[in-house]
Every structure is written in structure tokens, then in C-alpha cells.
Amino acid sequence: MLSHEDAAAHVPSAVHHIPPDKVCGRAKDVIRRLQKAGYEAYLVGGCVRDLLLGITPKDFDIATSARPEEIRRLFNSCRLIGRRFRLAHIYYGRDYLEVATFRAPHDDSDAGGKVNDEGRITHDNVYGTLDEDVWRRDFTINALFYNPISGELLDFVGGLEDLRHGQIRLIGDPEMRFREDPVRLLRAVRFAAKLGFAIEEDTREPMTSLAILLEGVSSARLFDEIIKLLHSGDGLNTFRLLREYDMLQHLLPLTAESIEEDSSGNFERMVELSLGNTDQRLREGKSVMPGFLYAVLLWHKVNLAALALQTEGAPELQALNEAATDALRDQVDFTAVPRRFSNITREIWALQARFRYRDLRRASALVGNVRFRAAYDFLCLRAEAGEPVKEDAEWWTTFQFATQEEREVLCRDSADKKGGLRRRKKRKKSTGSSKAAPPPSAE
Ligand code: ATP
Ligand code: MG
């Protein structure tokens, strides 16, 4: 193990070229204050990695030799959080900076650290030195420490070299490190997609066979990870990698099964189109909704189950609601779906049935529904993916932007078309003629 004092690990600013003005001023102030009080303090993790790559960091995380209680004593606006991993948050209004005390590696005999029978870390509160902290981090590119006061970068694990070569490499023995915390499997895929990096061979080798370990991770933690994986701007690429490494089936089994089952390819297209749109929205600074994401991911199962229930005689809306409850219950065994999101998912599904009613009263009410926009986007996505709802999607595109008079005409035309269709159907029944036009597939 390289020591903290190893000169080879100290990289001067003339070599690493981190632009000092890109470092958050508050983070710099916190580090200066900790150092003045006699502690070691550095920027660490994603922000150092991103600064070196010329990417604007999402947040600036700080690592220090000060204990959580010592940090609290230094900063008035400090709050300590977390049981599994104790951290200090220093508040500036509603924003905060995260400050973590250096951790040491540990086994189950340690006081503050715990590893379960499968080798998984359940608690990580054994404090240590900077040398020790480096080795318990996940990837080499995430284990770089930067002192913004001196301008010096510390690299004990070859992180700079891996950054230059575009490689994601786990520190230490890959299988052991993945077993310790299977979420690292998802993190490998997330960084590969985000940075366009390759996963280094030894790190990649055990990934597919260890993917099943994801089923042992708490569903609450996996929900957070799903959002980071699919709602961080590189969702489409990440999704493809999750499939490549056989992780999808342990994370979103209903989605994985649906893709296999649907020979038309419509569902796979729908998921890919939706993730592509989400990435685009994030690039444009627009909001995205986890409720919409789950509506897409579970749609195939819900739609099929609802159709089956309708065949057995259930009314359409009731069938959709029952199918929704079943699909969400099955998904929650794997990743949590907080009620505030799953309620939106249900509303989006339920409104799909209402797009068929085109009388003026109900159609106008639907456009005024708070969930209209999301449900309409969902309908367009279905149409674009190849489901037979194109005509519906076009009608609603016209209707929502039409004046009152135009709306009346649109609804009258729809009613006429429907009436004509009904009359033709009746005639067809009585004469046995085979020449009547087929009903539109959306009906
Ligand atoms: P992002 O840009 O997504 O925030 P990040 O690398 O900063 O990327 P965080 O989840 O914010 O990711 O974690 C901060 C740092 O903590 C990481 O860079 C890494 O050093 C360490 N870390 C986070 N999660 C793990 C883990 N599961 N195992 C080991 N180290 C981890
Ligand atoms: Mg981070």
C-alpha cells in the first residue's frame, strides 16, 4: 500500500491543470477553516473527477480527518445525519455541503463497522486516516483527493492514469468489492454511461455473474439508484448497459420480462424512446417525473393484465386499476416506488382509457385534468412506439389547442364517424356482408 507521504502520489497543479476558479467558493472556505483548526481536509470523489475531465461538478464533497462532532463544533449551521454512514451537512440556506470523516477498512469485529454473512457492508462508521480512506472508495477515478488551498492533487491508486485512458477500475479485488456492496455494480455502469468510459477487464469480468446480488440490496436504496441511473441525463445508454450486464432482470424484472415477451418490439421501442426523450429534456433543463418513468417501465404488464381482466368481464377502468396494483406490488419487492410517485403512475395509466371519450364535456374536462399533459405525452409515446393509438394521439393533439368552436366541430365529427361505424357494423351483422370497413384499431 502506498503511504500518504509517497511523493509519487502528490501531483502538482502544473500537471493536473484543475482550474482553481471552477472550485466552489464555499467548499474552499470550509476546507480552509478545517485546515486552520488543524485537520486535514480535501475535495474528494465525483467533483475532483469531473473537474479533471472539464465537466461542471454536480456537488462538492469534502473529506476530512475531523470527527463528525468536531465538525459540528466548528460550524454553527452543521447538522449530523445518517446511521449507516454518519455525515456532516453544513447548511447555507437550503443548500448544504457534505463533509465526511475519513473511514478505515474494517471487519465484523470492529466497533462501528459491520459486514454480514454474504460479505456485505451494513455499517461504515469506523474512522481512519486519509491513507485508509482511499482504499475503501469504489473506483480509482473516484479516489482522487484535491487540496484547493495548496493546489495539490493526491493520487494513491492510479486514478489519474485511468482517467486519461477512460477506464472504470474498481480498487482492490473486484469480486470482493462488489460483494461488499453490490450497488457498486450499478455505479460501474452509471459512470461508464455518463463518462463514455470502458469498464476495465478485471472489473468487468465478474459483473454479470454477481448481478443477482442486487436482489439483496434494500429496495429503498435501489429506488434512489434507479433514479440516478435513468434520470441523470444518460438514461438510454445506462439502460442498454444494464441489459448487457444482465442487471435489468434483478432491478426491473417486469420490464426485462416484457421486453422478452413482446415479439412486436413495440414495448422495447417505447422504453428506449422514453429514455431518449428524458435525456433530451434534462439537457434542456426541463423537469422529469419518476412517476412517468415507472408508467413506461411497467406498461406492457399492466396493459396485458388489464386486457385479460376485461375479457373476463371487468369494466375497463377497474381492470386497469387492478392491473396497476398488481404490477406496482410486484415491482416494490425489488425497488421501492414511493406513493407520491406511484399515484402519478396510476393516474397516467387510468387516463389512457379516457382518451377514447370524445364528447365535448368529457374531452374538455380531460384537457383540464392536472395529469393531462403527462398522460397525453404517454399516449404519443405509445403511438410512436407502434401501438395502434396513432389516430387517438393525433385527435388529442388537435383538440387541446383548438378554439371552443373548433372543439365542437371535432367532437361532432367524431360522433358522426362513430355513429356511421355503428350503423355499418349493424348492417354487416344483418346482411353478413364482408365488405364493411374495419373499425379503427383504437376503438
Ligand atoms: P456523482 O457525480 O454521481 O455524484 P460521485 O462519484 O460523486 O458521482 P457519490 O455517490 O456522490 O458519487 O459518492 C461520492 C464518493 O463517495 C465517490 O466518488 C466514491 O469515492 C465514494 N463512494 C460512493 N459510493 C460508494 C460505494 N458504494 N462504495 C465505495 N465508495 C463509494
Ligand atoms: Mg457526488
Side-chain angles (χ1 to χ4, degrees):
M1 198 185 281
L2 282 167
S3 117
H4 184 181
E5 299 311 318
D6 190 320
H10 290 234
V11 185
S13 55
V15 176
H16 62 66
H17 302 301
I18 290 180
D21 60 319
K22 295 279 187 227
V23 176
C24 155
R26 283 175 182 162
K28 219 167 159 173
D29 288 344
V30 168
I31 288 174
R32 192 178 290 115
R33 192 130 148 228
L34 283 162
Q35 290 181 356
K36 275 209 173 125
Y39 302 105
E40 291 175 81
Y42 297 89
L43 285 176
V44 68
C47 64
V48 183
R49 176 195 70 217
D50 290 349
L51 283 170
L52 285 161
L53 291 171
I55 302 173
T56 304
K58 264 195 342 229
D59 41 41
F60 287 83
D61 294 333
I62 295 166
T64 179
S65 57
R67 300 293 167 97
E69 294 70 26
E70 293 170 329
I71 305 169
R72 188 165 50 185
R73 249 175 267 138
L74 273 179
F75 298 91
N76 288 336
S77 63
C78 174
R79 223 179 286 163
L80 301 186
I81 60 138
R83 245 164 47 84
R84 185 182 173 278
F85 195 96
R86 201 145 178 77
L87 288 170
H89 283 174
I90 299 175
Y91 276 85
Y92 299 87
R94 291 175 63 181
D95 295 338
Y96 62 83
L97 282 168
E98 199 161 278
V99 185
T101 305
F102 296 145
R103 261 37 176 207
H106 48 72
D107 54 43
D108 49 358
S109 60
D110 283 319
K114 278 206 178 88
V115 177
N116 74 1
D117 295 344
E118 292 151 16
R120 201 147 50 86
I121 295 176
T122 52
H123 282 74
D124 194 3
N125 283 324
V126 180
Y127 303 121
T129 62
L130 186 147
D131 299 312
E132 291 167 321
D133 190 84
V134 172
W135 303 93
R136 59 117 208 141
R137 293 191 175 265
D138 50 5
F139 306 105
T140 58
I141 57 167
N142 286 348
L144 296 161
F145 290 68
Y146 177 57
N147 181 344
I149 313 300
S150 69
E152 196 169 54
L153 183 79
L154 303 184
D155 177 11
F156 300 103
V157 289
L160 210 48
E161 185 75 359
D162 282 334
L163 262 188
R164 287 198 187 106
H165 288 113
Q167 291 209 101
I168 315 274
R169 183 201 305 269
L170 210 46
I171 298 170
D173 175 61
E175 178 160 349
M176 196 189 87
R177 299 302 314 281
F178 281 134
R179 282 186 184 280
E180 261 177 17
D181 182 3
V183 165
R184 289 172 187 153
L185 292 160
L186 300 177
R187 291 175 60 84
V189 161
R190 178 154 71 84
F191 294 125
K194 169 179 163 155
L195 306 171
F197 278 21
I199 303 176
E200 181 271 335
E201 211 175 303
D202 291 342
T203 300
R204 192 175 59 217
E205 204 273 321
M207 284 177 62
T208 305
S209 61
L210 295 178
I212 195 168
L213 296 178
L214 289 170
E215 294 189 18
V217 179
S218 85
S219 66
R221 194 163 170 222
L222 285 185
F223 174 77
D224 293 343
E225 290 301 321
I226 284 271
I227 298 305
K228 283 192 213 160
L229 286 161
L230 302 181
H231 271 183
S232 292
D234 306 285
L236 181 54
N237 280 336
T238 309
F239 182 77
R240 289 177 177 163
L241 285 177
L242 288 175
R243 290 182 69 189
E244 192 182 320
Y245 286 98
D246 282 347
M247 291 179 198
L248 195 67
Q249 55 181 312
H250 305 295
L251 210 56
L252 296 161
L254 280 73
T255 311
E257 271 168 36
S258 299
I259 291 176
E260 291 305 313
E261 282 164 13
D262 177 30
S263 55
S264 73
N266 287 349
F267 178 66
E268 181 177 356
R269 234 180 336 271
M270 181 174 173
V271 175
E272 291 229 335
L273 280 168
S274 168
L275 292 171
N277 291 347
T278 301
D279 291 345
Q280 180 62 29
R281 285 184 68 86
L282 289 166
R283 270 195 293 278
E284 291 167 6
K286 292 183 183 161
S287 65
V288 293
M289 303 188 335
F292 191 93
L293 174 71
Y294 273 99
V296 172
L297 294 171
L298 302 177
W299 171 241
H300 184 73
K301 285 278 174 195
V302 167
N303 195 20
L304 278 191
L307 287 173
L309 286 167
Q310 276 179 267
T311 315
E312 289 164 17
E316 188 175 12
L317 200 58
Q318 186 191 324
L320 261 172
N321 277 332
E322 261 181 55
T325 303
D326 288 350
L328 286 163
R329 194 196 325 103
D330 288 349
Q331 181 56 43
V332 162
D333 284 342
F334 292 81
T335 68
V337 190
R339 189 70 44 101
R340 66 185 188 283
F341 300 129
S342 65
N343 283 343
I344 294 175
T345 305
R346 284 170 172 283
E347 285 168 34
I348 290 171
W349 288 334
L351 291 191
Q352 299 308 301
R354 286 177 55 188
F355 281 124
R356 236 157 7 248
Y357 301 121
R358 297 189 188 169
D359 57 280
L360 188 62
R361 188 182 58 80
R362 281 193 283 190
S364 305
L366 186 51
V367 173
N369 187 299
V370 278
R371 217 50 78 198
F372 172 78
R373 188 80 233 165
Y376 162 76
D377 285 349
F378 192 83
L379 178 72
C380 292
L381 197 60
R382 292 171 59 201
E384 205 183 342
E387 274 194 57
V389 289
K390 195 158 176 269
E391 201 262 343
D392 274 342
E394 282 165 0
W395 193 87
W396 284 96
T397 304
T398 315
F399 183 83
Q400 64 183 301
F401 298 115
T403 62
Q404 185 62 19
E405 291 78 43
E406 288 167 341
R407 283 184 176 187
E408 281 168 20
V409 174
L410 278 165
C411 291
R412 214 176 307 125
D413 285 354
S414 277
D416 286 351
K417 227 161 105 191
K418 219 170 175 180
L421 191 69
R422 247 190 243 124
R423 276 195 297 281
R424 272 204 302 283
K425 266 190 190 162
K426 259 192 194 156
R427 235 190 348 260
K428 181 184 166 191
K429 234 183 193 171
S430 57
T431 62
S433 155
S434 60
K435 292 218 172 99
S441 44
E443 290 293 313

